[in-house]
Amino acid sequence: MLKEKKHQIFIFVIFALAVLSVPFFLQGNYLLNVLVFVGINTMLAVGLNLLLGYAGQISLGHAAFFGMGAYISGIVTSRYPVEPFLIIFLAAVCVGLIAFVIGFPILKLKGHYLAMATLGFGIIMYIIFNETVDWTGGPSGLSGIPSLKIGPVVFDNDQSNYYLVWVFTLVVMMLSINLSNSRIGRALRAIHDSEVAARVMGVNARFLKVQIFTVSAVISAVAGSLYAHVMTFIAPASFGFNFSVELLTMIVIGGLGSVYGSFLGAVILTMLPEFLRVFQDLDIVIYGLMLILMTMYMPGGLISGIEMAAEFFSSRLRKGKGE
Amino acid sequence: MLRLSNITQIFGGLNALEDVSFSVKEGSITGIIGPNGAGKTTLFNIVTGLYTQTGGDVFLGGENISFLETEELAGRGLVRTFQNVELFRKMTVLENVMVGLHTKSSSGIFSCVFKLPRQTREEKAIREKSMVWLKYTGIAELAEMTAGNLPFGKGRLLEISRALAAEPKIILMDEPAAGLNSRETAELALLIRKIRQSGVTVVLVEHDMDLVMDVCDAIVVLNLGKKLAEGTPREIQENPAVISAYLGEG
Amino acid sequence: MDNFQQLFQYVLTGLSNGAIYALIGFGFAVIYNSTGIINFAQGEFVMLGGMLTVFLLTVLHVSLVPAIALAIVVSTLVGILFERFAIRPLKDAQPLSLIIITIGASIFIRGVAMLVWGKDTHALPAFSSHDPLSIAGATILPQHLWILGVTILIIAASRLFFNHSIIGKAMRACSYNPRAAGLVGINVKSMVLLSFSLSAAIGSLAGIIIAPLTMTSFDVGVMLGLKGFCAVIIGGMSSGMGTVLGGLLLGLLEALGAGFISASYKDAIAFIILLLILFIRPEGLFRKKETERF
């Protein structure tokens, strides 16, 4: 984490500009479509990272919140002529409330028990998505979800969807960076490092964990709503245990506790399967292997490797100037 | 300031503490000593809410804090340091102390995420105050170091800085001299006196007799879970029951 | 009479499923009690048992009994490799890291299974006959009897092992206090390895005996593993009767729920129970006194 405040703002601005200028170079290119999903996955990964990377609480059921956002938006907007943006907001509030209520009992659990409980929750939601056929359309999915509109602009092609998704994602990334450098961000990291010491210093660990769980769930739900409107069709298969694992792998590979790490992980895990057929067939094997190897040998994720390299080169440069 | 009344702690058939009562005077430096296994750290854990005692009560400044959660104590002026030095190892030295200021600041999730002006101002104040506390224990130059890389003695000082940042009325130190060499212990004694001078009550659990006899105004002796004696250092040194409990110990 | 017959049918199915959950849960308990780790990959051993047996039978044309034996041996080997390469190097790591690693391992094993055997479901032939028996008007397949029989055998054997054999007692010592156990000459590392081997063997056996009834495929491990975990949580992480009761209770509730409330939500029942137990009584329902864990 590059410490200098000014550096951080500078880096983010460069990143944002780079992201927003991509469509100019990729007009009509299939890559643009993939990058829309990189955006969605980045948002999801950043959300999960808040919970896992900062507060150190594992969740294997985050796909459930993603699905809840998607289905609430999808079901309501495909049946009733309501303003979809309003529904995105309402879905977020709804999922937030549910996460808040579930959060209290679930986050009393630690370690493996928390992992199993979140896994169980995820599977229960997955079963609900599959079985409430009258609402969700069951395993064959829900179609007819309208695209989003602002005035005359309809978000129904890769170009406009790219901007739609990435504006949201950039905002989430920025807010995340704000959080990490703040009193609450420190309190979360303190909980991760030594929950006992954090509590002794007055950090209300229980409540804070529930709060960050809720924030993380809300981010996932918003990502889900956007996903529903971009795809105009959703099915339960996208919201199961496998996707929860994929999200976990993204942030472990990219970097726990790092916003750019989340982006990196999302890029790798969204793009590689698209461009390497081999990767597609081997995906679970590779995820499993990566989880093990990264945790053993590079627990800070790829981003920590990149940061170390950057530190190395910049100190080289400074030494050179000094002489 | 701090009063323990009939504290009893039973762990599945083992009487860790039995009917322990004593008071700590405001502004004093009180030492709790006793052979290993006497129940000293258990006592600290009960006072700081990490264990709930089987019987008895703890009063802080007149308020019964027996059943409060640990996180509710720092705001009431009670903090502690740990025998094993519980630092936030992955955060910097400065950030560790900044967490100490948690109860002295109030920005919530919303203001932090949206970087409201009040939060930015508070953040600046937190940073400045934290540096002051690092200077207080003499480790200001290590501010940007990762806490996990600190040498042990400096780590102890960091933990104390962090605890003091909460501006407590009373600080409980669990074996602060453990693992320190004689120079560091002498500096610790000075620091403890400095802390008391600023009006903070200090309670120590310690094994280092020299430090205890040197620095404490009052001493409580525990043995096998019971209070054996209480008094000034001189009284304790001359107490035959204490001497025999320690026979064989240093 | 009809309602009673139905009830009896559900009870029988529930008990036999419950026996499987108990066996799987037993595997969790053995590892937890000797290392403090929850082996996320436990369900994959169950999967390996069934899939390996099918593979040996249908592709290599080995006959049933050797196939079963070989499958158990190979699964145990996988368990040993897992312990050596993924667990042992990280004994002192943060709990979060261990969790991620066991998750990674379980995914890896499942992924390899999918590559080697594809995504199809397979059936294992029943051990004895296919003909159902009739007890009190309810149908019971001989395979149900196999399941109950094998489970009782395993539990009895483990009782004997842990309470009356030197190695078993050594394993228990390790779970109470590894350092003390090391000091009296017990090789803690071997005990850990042994616990993983036992878990893998029992897990794979569980997978084999249920495969004739429920089909097996590369991803049965997740559900069965979770349900086994649920059983052992209900039982309070005990390596004995507690988990057996936990499994049976789970199986019963699941079968009754599926029969009388809704069949499509059958799997959800187990997980709702899991969440309820974790929320309300995480130490389990059948936890023995502190001093007796096995």
Side-chain angles (χ1 to χ4, degrees), chain B residues 200-216:
Chain B
V200 179
T201 309
V202 180
V203 181
L204 319 166
V205 160
E206 245 315 321
H207 274 298
D208 184 334
M209 283 307 133
D210 293 333
L211 176 66
V212 169
M213 297 301 163
D214 175 29
V215 124
C216 297

Side-chain angles (χ1 to χ4, degrees), chain B residues 68-171:
Chain B
L68 290 183
E69 294 288 341
T70 305
E71 46 267 23
E72 299 179 84
L73 294 174
R76 283 174 164 77
L78 175 73
V79 297
R80 90 175 264 183
T81 65
F82 290 86
Q83 205 171 337
N84 299 337
V85 184
E86 292 275 343
L87 293 177
F88 305 127
R89 307 181 68 80
K90 295 209 211 108
M91 293 163 71
T92 64
V93 166
L94 185 65
E95 285 175 324
N96 268 265
V97 182
M98 287 165 89
V99 176
L101 280 159
H102 190 84
T103 48
K104 294 287 162 199
S105 49
S106 58
S107 308
I109 269 199
F110 193 80
S111 22
C112 289
V113 164
F114 292 103
K115 253 192 162 163
L116 301 180
R118 187 170 75 85
Q119 190 262 347
T120 328
R121 268 174 287 149
E122 190 181 70
E123 187 69 7
K124 202 156 167 281
I126 293 178
R127 189 169 270 267
E128 285 165 0
K129 272 204 237 172
S130 302
M131 282 305 293
V132 167
W133 287 113
L134 282 178
K135 292 201 184 96
Y136 191 86
T137 57
I139 54 173
E141 72 278 5
L142 301 172
E144 293 301 328
M145 220 173 132
T146 307
N149 294 339
L150 281 178
F152 187 76
K154 305 284 181 200
R156 277 234 182 273
L157 292 174
L158 173 57
E159 212 192 6
I160 295 175
S161 278
R162 184 181 69 192
L164 292 174
E167 291 172 35
K169 295 189 211 136
I170 174 169
I171 178 170

Side-chain angles (χ1 to χ4, degrees), chain C residues 66-238:
Chain C
I68 292 178
L70 207 50
I72 296 181
V73 166
V74 173
S75 305
T76 309
L77 266 168
V78 172
I80 292 177
L81 285 172
F82 175 53
E83 194 273 334
R84 279 256 61 230
F85 290 115
I87 303 286
R88 194 179 293 193
L90 275 156
K91 280 310 290 295
D92 303 311
Q94 279 196 326
L96 197 58
S97 303
L98 272 170
I99 296 173
I100 297 182
I101 287 182
T102 50
I103 294 174
S106 106
I107 298 170
F108 179 71
I109 297 175
R110 190 160 11 113
V112 171
M114 186 189 80
L115 279 178
V116 173
W117 293 311
K119 296 193 183 181
D120 304 320
T121 51
H122 301 276
L124 200 56
F127 293 176
S128 40
S129 70
H130 275 283
D131 308 318
L133 309 165
S134 199
I135 297 182
T139 346
I140 180 169
L141 293 165
Q143 196 65 23
H144 284 130
L145 292 175
W146 275 106
I147 293 175
L148 288 168
V150 169
T151 307
I152 295 177
L153 250 163
I154 302 263
I155 302 292
S158 79
R159 252 296 169 73
L160 265 171
F161 176 70
F162 284 117
N163 289 344
H164 300 289
S165 79
I166 299 274
I167 300 186
K169 293 187 192 177
M171 273 183 76
R172 286 167 62 195
C174 284
S175 80
Y176 294 145
N177 192 335
R179 208 181 306 171
L183 286 173
V184 299
I186 297 177
N187 187 337
V188 180
K189 287 209 180 108
S190 312
M191 290 299 122
V192 172
L193 191 61
L194 184 59
S195 70
F196 270 84
S197 319
L198 264 175
S199 269
I202 295 176
S204 59
L205 182 59
I208 295 172
I209 57 182
I210 197 160
L213 287 179
T214 58
M215 312 276 271
T216 182
S217 67
F218 82 104
D219 62 357
V220 285
V222 181
M223 288 299 216
L224 285 174
L226 259 182
K227 292 186 186 177
F229 181 74
C230 187
V232 80
I233 289 285
I234 298 179
M237 274 302 168
S238 109

